[in-house]
Amino acid sequence: MAKKILTEHINVPGIETFEVYRKQGGYTAVEKAIKTMTPEEVVEEAKKSGIRGRGGAGFPMGMKWGFLAKPEGVPRYLVCNADESEPGTFKDHHLMKCIPHLLIEGMIVSSFALGANKSFIYVRGELMYVIRILEKAIEEAKANGFLGKNILGSGYDLELVVQPGGGAYICGEETALLESLEGKRGNPRNKPPFPAVKGLYQSPTVVNNVESISNMPWVINNGGDAYAAIGIGRSTGTKLISASGHIQKPGVYEIELGVSVDEFLNSDEYCGGIRKGHHLKALVAGGSSVPILPAHLITKTAAGEDRLMSYESLSDGGFATGTMLGSGGFIVFDETACIVRNTWNFSRFYHHESCGQCSPCREGTGWMEKVLHRIEHGHGSMHDIDLLVDVAKKIEGNTICPLGDAAAWPVASAIRHFRDEFEWHITNPHEASQPGAVFMGAVLA
Amino acid sequence: MEEIKPQLIKITFDGIEVEVEPGTTIMQAARKIAEADESQGYLVPPAMCYYKPLPTSGGKCRACLVRVAAGSAKDPRPMPKLVPSCITQVQEGMIVENTTNDAVLDTRKSIVEFLLINHPLDCPVCDQAGECHLQDFSFEHGSAKTRYEEERRTFEKIDIGPFVQLHMTRCILCYRCVYTADQITNKRVHGVMNRGDASEISTYIEKAIDNDFSGNVIDVCPVGALTDKTYRFKSRVWFSKPVDAHCDCEKCSGKVTLWYRGDEVIRVTARKNIWGEVNEFICNTCRFERKKTSDWTIEGPTKVKRSSVISANKYRKDLIAKPDFALKLAATQFKPIDDEREYTTDIETVRHQSIENNDKANHRSLLPQNNN
């Protein structure tokens, strides 16, 4: 049985209540940190743990905390990014819904480390019931003296606010999130200045993902070194993977980083293999924005090594033959999936979610979606494929925030690995636009 | 008494060294080069959203992206991505590549393409034509052909008051008018609604924009999305003659440019610098109500760049009269156009092609919408 950090007690009945969570060893990290450690020591433990941001970018959390500017007389803020809206990713939702006190405990410890007296949890607007669960948990924690004024008699105050978002994907980008939190339109800001210098209300701010923060109680209780011992290389600790698609057992799984993709995909402990009678065609390993991989590059890298579930191994080979761990949205496609239709679907999402601030993304996402729609519905021509590649290339890297990249990568990678399928759609327009078309011996759904 | 000057920062822009004050942006450094030597004007990155009189504007249109080949003397690593020159501050020893870098020019070309895919090509009926930044930008950096076959985005017209005409379909979402309302008027009543390519400049439930300085949004708009209702369809800018004038105004500086057609003042605008930016914002009374010569003290003809269609050499009758004038003018304007299409002069073929293109466009507009 693999090591469980976040989901160890997730199936204990009543874990969402304070009493049960406390009985399972909850809030000991708060006691340990506030009573026996200085904020600097907590930051040091986070650095030692080597934990990397779980929201998708994989930036070391301890290093991010180290960048926080600490001018005199200016408040500092910790903001938890719970605006999880990437297609294929549903790990934070699961965590907050089932074990809300874990996040709150993590928030208290992290806020203490950063010297923040007011912290925010920005939750995706669609998850109203999760917001109520979190608010109830905060009330319980406050009633038991773990939140509010003078926590555990230490003189440290912390107020925790749950803020519902408006349901925009772009507000998961940290600066757009801060704008939205300030009550403005959720447009990403130009960087620099980075949030660590000028963030929420122009004050130094750290924005962390739910899963990253939820790891902190364990790191405090067991030490950063113990956390760093789990996992492989620079990918330390465990990761929640939300598996979906054509597999036997879709769901959220906690894995030790470094498990092989083959094991994760086929063992009964995790996904349980592709659904019966079908075989693997493609995989999106880290949420809809990362490049899609064809079957032959999933379990082995281009160099023939086993591909592992880690930041490094998944990105082995760059974007030519690799992908990214991203946010851990593991979407599996069997041979019945139409790649063109799927790419169009992803593209439609990014078109809909682009904030419209900078021109390449505003105009380019819509353009790509329209061209893909045409190809899927039998009105494409061969030069459309090269056009898509070119438009994706022109969007990538030229936008304010990473949404432009996220919109370009799935399209570029789908054409890179499945060009024949795009061409087949164009040469057989009538057949391809109907359900039940047969491509390379497989009936497309 | 000697003035205390801050230590200047030296940067290299397209191989030209320039010294600027700390905190200057790359764009301002480039403009400094061009202001010192007019022949270097082509070096300056184009700005569609950045507007110096409006702090915090910029960074949105991505037209001014440049490559930083060396970040600073201390850390000479190149920056990984192209950076927006309008908001990136210079560092000592920074090396910037603009027109000398093909990747930058290639990106700029694609930005023109992105801006134009949803912009109507209705310049012949647009009041902004002749003083449109997007026209200039696409002439300088764009391509003669389009790769966009889809239906263009259009918007319902809304009424935002008696003076300003909003033509949202032409908008390129530079946010300048939003910053103008934020920064020089008491209360902003218009803003950006919706998101992505559906976002539009609008007021809340078609509320009229009504305050003394609302007319300035017309001057800051780089395209014909916000135009003057009192000037609508009256003239083309190149038929009118700009003259600097002033008056004693209690609300604003009163320094304006009057646009004459014959003896009639057909339009009043704020004075603009060579980068097309307003020097001093003016009030609505000056702009919309003082349209008689007797309201103003005339200072003299406005200086207009010779290459501009507005100048059209109205002021130098002696030059126009010279026999080689047309050739010389053409030579200053000539620029090879990026167009690799094969062309034919056979009238039957041309007719056939245009029918084919029309059919194609009609066919597209009949396709089901993208919402199934």
Side-chain angles (χ1 to χ4, degrees):
Chain A
M1 202 62 182
K3 184 81 199 160
K4 296 271 186 280
I5 290 177
L6 301 164
T7 56
E8 193 182 351
H9 305 297
I10 209 155
N11 292 325
V12 177
I15 193 74
E16 69 278 6
T17 61
F18 180 84
E19 291 77 34
V20 178
Y21 182 72
R22 183 82 172 123
K23 245 177 241 161
Q24 299 295 335
Y27 288 101
T28 47
V30 177
E31 288 172 327
K32 186 178 174 191
I34 291 188
K35 286 184 178 161
T36 66
M37 294 166 85
T38 63
E40 290 74 28
E41 282 168 357
V42 179
V43 174
E44 202 47 46
E45 288 304 319
K47 277 185 184 163
K48 268 192 222 158
S49 75
I51 177 172
R52 294 169 67 171
R54 301 296 196 229
F59 192 80
M61 185 160 102
M63 207 192 272
K64 197 173 189 177
W65 286 10
F67 289 149
L68 187 71
K70 293 182 175 165
E72 277 298 307
V74 180
R76 297 190 283 275
Y77 296 105
L78 171 67
V79 178
C80 172
N81 185 347
D83 191 65
E84 179 184 53
S85 351
E86 177 110 336
T89 310
F90 41 88
K91 61 185 179 66
D92 298 344
H93 179 178
H94 181 69
L95 205 58
M96 290 187 291
K97 172 182 79 177
C98 298
I99 183 163
H101 283 285
L102 184 64
L103 173 62
I104 290 160
E105 188 179 1
M107 283 298 281
I108 300 170
V109 175
S110 311
S111 301
F112 174 71
L114 299 168
N117 296 111
K118 189 162 185 176
S119 297
F120 298 86
I121 305 175
Y122 184 94
V123 187
R124 183 182 176 191
E126 283 91 336
L127 306 182
M128 247 3 250
Y129 80 104
V130 174
I131 293 168
R132 293 199 189 99
I133 292 172
L134 284 172
E135 277 173 345
K136 186 161 166 278
I138 288 174
E139 282 309 312
E140 287 176 336
K142 206 177 255 176
N144 288 281
F146 286 100
L147 270 176
K149 296 257 176 236
N150 197 11
I151 295 170
L152 304 176
S154 63
Y156 173 67
D157 306 335
L158 176 65
E159 194 187 341
L160 202 51
V161 179
V162 182
Q163 174 65 45
Y169 174 68
I170 190 63
C171 291
E173 199 275 344
E174 57 178 7
T175 54
L177 188 154
L178 296 178
E179 286 280 302
S180 170
L181 200 51
E182 288 179 9
K184 299 180 195 152
R185 181 184 162 85
N187 277 357
R189 296 177 185 165
N190 278 301
K191 285 163 268 184
F194 288 93
V197 181
K198 278 185 180 173
L200 188 63
Y201 306 118
Q202 297 293 301
S203 306
T205 306
V206 167
V207 183
N208 279 139
N209 178 258
V210 172
E211 194 189 338
S212 320
I213 291 175
S214 299
N215 273 306
M216 278 313 288
W218 196 93
V219 170
I220 297 302
N221 283 330
N222 300 280
D225 291 328
Y227 191 89
I230 308 168
I232 180 167
R234 286 179 55 233
S235 301
T236 60
T238 64
K239 173 97 185 75
L240 290 179
I241 303 288
S242 31
S244 62
H246 297 138
I247 44 175
Q248 301 277 17
K249 290 161 56 191
V252 178
Y253 298 98
E254 183 168 10
I255 58 154
E256 212 172 297
L257 285 167
V259 169
S260 76
V261 175
D262 186 43
E263 189 193 336
F264 182 71
L265 196 54
N266 294 317
S267 78
D268 278 337
E269 194 186 341
Y270 302 118
C271 300
I274 310 296
R275 63 177 178 156
K276 277 214 173 70
H278 295 276
H279 61 267
L280 184 63
K281 177 177 185 179
L283 170 76
V284 172
S288 65
S289 57
V290 307
I292 192 169
L293 283 185
H296 68 276
L297 288 171
I298 293 170
T299 52
K300 298 271 184 213
T301 64
E305 291 162 19
D306 278 346
R307 205 183 277 281
L308 310 176
M309 296 291 283
S310 73
Y311 290 96
E312 289 78 20
S313 179
L314 278 171
S315 56
D316 183 272
F319 279 1
T321 59
T323 178
M324 283 165 76
L325 180 58
S327 58
F330 196 83
I331 313 172
V332 183
F333 301 97
D334 68 16
E335 82 287 353
T336 65
C338 171
I339 297 298
V340 178
R341 191 173 183 80
N342 172 64
T343 311
W344 167 54
N345 193 24
F346 281 172
S347 199
R348 189 171 59 160
F349 173 79
Y350 290 107
H351 175 206
H352 185 252
E353 296 295 341
S354 165
C355 79
Q357 191 181 200
C358 56
S359 25
C361 172
R362 177 184 66 233
E363 309 293 352
T365 50
W367 193 0
M368 289 199 299
E369 195 229 310
K370 284 172 186 160
V371 174
L372 282 163
H373 177 268
R374 253 192 311 119
I375 296 177
E376 166 64 19
H377 290 83
H379 304 286
S381 54
M382 280 300 176
H383 63 81
D384 284 338
I385 300 178
D386 294 324
L387 176 70
L388 281 174
V389 174
D390 192 54
V391 173
K393 203 175 87 190
K394 293 294 165 50
I395 299 175
E396 189 186 337
N398 292 333
T399 52
I400 296 175
C401 80
L403 194 140
D405 302 344
W409 291 340
V411 176
S413 61
I415 295 176
R416 190 181 307 124
H417 298 302
F418 297 95
R419 200 178 176 107
D420 52 347
E421 198 167 332
F422 280 84
E423 287 173 357
W424 176 75
H425 268 75
I426 287 160
T427 48
N428 303 285
H430 190 69
E431 198 188 340
S433 58
Q434 303 298 325
V438 181
F439 173 64
M440 299 195 21
V443 181
L444 300 179
Chain B
M1 206 180 85
E2 232 181 45
E3 213 180 319
I4 303 161
K5 280 188 181 164
Q7 183 130 36
L8 291 179
I9 288 179
K10 192 185 266 184
I11 73 157
T12 313
F13 187 93
D14 270 354
I16 301 170
E17 283 193 354
V18 61
E19 282 191 333
V20 290
E21 283 167 20
T24 310
T25 58
I26 297 174
M27 171 83 80
Q28 288 306 325
R31 286 184 177 182
K32 193 176 173 186
I33 297 175
E35 278 159 14
D37 178 0
E38 222 174 283
S39 67
Q40 306 287 4
Y42 72 95
L43 286 182
V44 181
M48 299 304 294
C49 66
Y50 171 75
Y51 205 67
K52 199 184 171 211
L54 299 170
T56 70
S57 67
K60 299 192 196 306
C61 69
R62 320 306 277 180
C64 68
L65 290 178
V66 293
R67 193 180 120 81
V68 175
S72 67
K74 266 188 225 155
D75 181 8
R77 284 176 303 171
M79 290 192 184
K81 289 184 192 174
L82 302 183
V83 299
S85 59
C86 61
I87 51 167
T88 307
Q89 294 190 354
V90 296
Q91 307 280 336
E92 177 65 43
M94 189 184 251
I95 298 173
V96 184
E97 293 172 354
N98 180 28
T99 56
T100 49
N101 189 304
D102 286 341
V104 171
L105 294 178
D106 199 32
T107 304
R108 199 158 289 160
K109 198 168 153 185
S110 66
I111 300 292
V112 180
E113 187 173 26
F114 283 135
L115 287 176
L116 285 179
I117 62 171
N118 278 317
H119 186 87
L121 300 181
D122 62 349
C123 306
V125 295
C126 176
D127 274 329
Q128 191 83 3
E131 50 181 10
C132 173
H133 291 203
L134 187 58
Q135 250 181 349
D136 295 347
F137 184 36
S138 52
F139 179 73
E140 293 283 330
H141 299 283
S143 163
K145 56 181 187 283
T146 178
R147 297 186 290 174
Y148 189 71
E149 294 178 17
E150 272 64 36
E151 203 179 338
R152 283 165 199 268
R153 165 198 68 186
T154 51
F155 292 93
E156 297 284 320
K157 256 188 199 155
I158 65 161
D159 186 10
I160 57 165
F163 295 127
V164 184
Q165 176 69 44
L166 172 65
H167 200 310
M168 185 53 217
T169 306
R170 291 180 189 146
C171 177
I172 58 164
L173 285 163
C174 68
Y175 282 65
R176 280 181 188 174
C177 59
V178 179
Y179 289 119
T180 309
D182 259 343
Q183 295 176 13
I184 68 165
T185 67
N186 290 330
K187 204 166 174 228
R188 173 162 70 89
V189 292
H190 77 280
V192 180
M193 315 271 165
N194 300 329
R195 66 176 179 225
D197 61 6
S199 42
E200 59 174 312
I201 300 286
S202 183
T203 55
Y204 182 58
I205 325 185
E206 300 207 9
K207 198 174 165 186
I209 299 179
D210 180 25
N211 64 64
D212 281 342
F213 286 83
S214 65
N216 287 299
V217 296
I218 298 166
D219 279 344
V220 301
C221 185
V223 292
L226 292 162
T227 50
D228 187 339
K229 269 191 182 170
T230 63
Y231 172 67
R232 249 186 138 211
F233 304 138
K234 276 200 175 162
S235 173
R236 310 301 328 211
V237 286
W238 56 89
F239 293 141
S240 55
K241 193 168 166 183
V243 171
D244 284 350
H246 67 264
C247 75
D248 280 331
C249 180
E250 51 207 29
K251 289 183 199 147
C252 67
S253 69
K255 289 180 183 163
V256 301
T257 302
L258 303 179
W259 297 75
Y260 276 96
R261 182 161 193 188
D263 295 331
E264 190 195 351
V265 178
I266 53 171
R267 180 166 74 140
V268 183
T269 67
R271 288 187 201 169
K272 292 186 178 180
N273 64 13
I274 55 166
W275 309 113
E277 290 166 349
V278 167
N279 293 332
E280 280 166 293
F281 292 104
I282 60 167
C283 69
N284 281 5
T285 319
C286 286
R287 185 186 300 272
F288 299 119
E289 284 160 30
R290 296 194 173 128
K291 294 217 173 170
K292 286 199 292 284
T293 308
S294 57
D295 294 333
W296 301 95
T297 315
I298 306 290
E299 292 171 19
T302 306
K303 243 186 141 177
V304 180
K305 256 194 273 179
R306 262 186 70 188
S307 59
S308 164
V309 287
I310 297 170
S311 96
N313 292 284
K314 295 186 191 72
Y315 309 112
R316 296 292 303 273
K317 288 218 167 103
D318 53 327
L319 278 182
I320 303 172
K322 285 188 180 169
D324 62 342
F325 171 74
L327 280 177
K328 272 190 180 161
L329 187 70
T332 58
Q333 309 265 321
F334 178 76
K335 167 180 173 287
I337 292 176
D338 171 35
D339 188 354
E340 296 136 24
R341 284 177 298 188
E342 287 171 21
Y343 63 90
T344 171
T345 47
D346 175 39
I347 194 77
E348 260 315 297
T349 321
V350 171
R351 206 171 66 86
H352 184 70
Q353 276 176 352
S354 91
I355 291 170
E356 212 172 44
N357 286 343
N358 267 337
D359 284 353
K360 221 170 166 185
N362 289 337
H363 178 60
R364 294 259 178 281
S365 63
L366 293 175
L367 284 179
Q369 293 295 308
N370 295 355
N371 50 7
N372 49 356

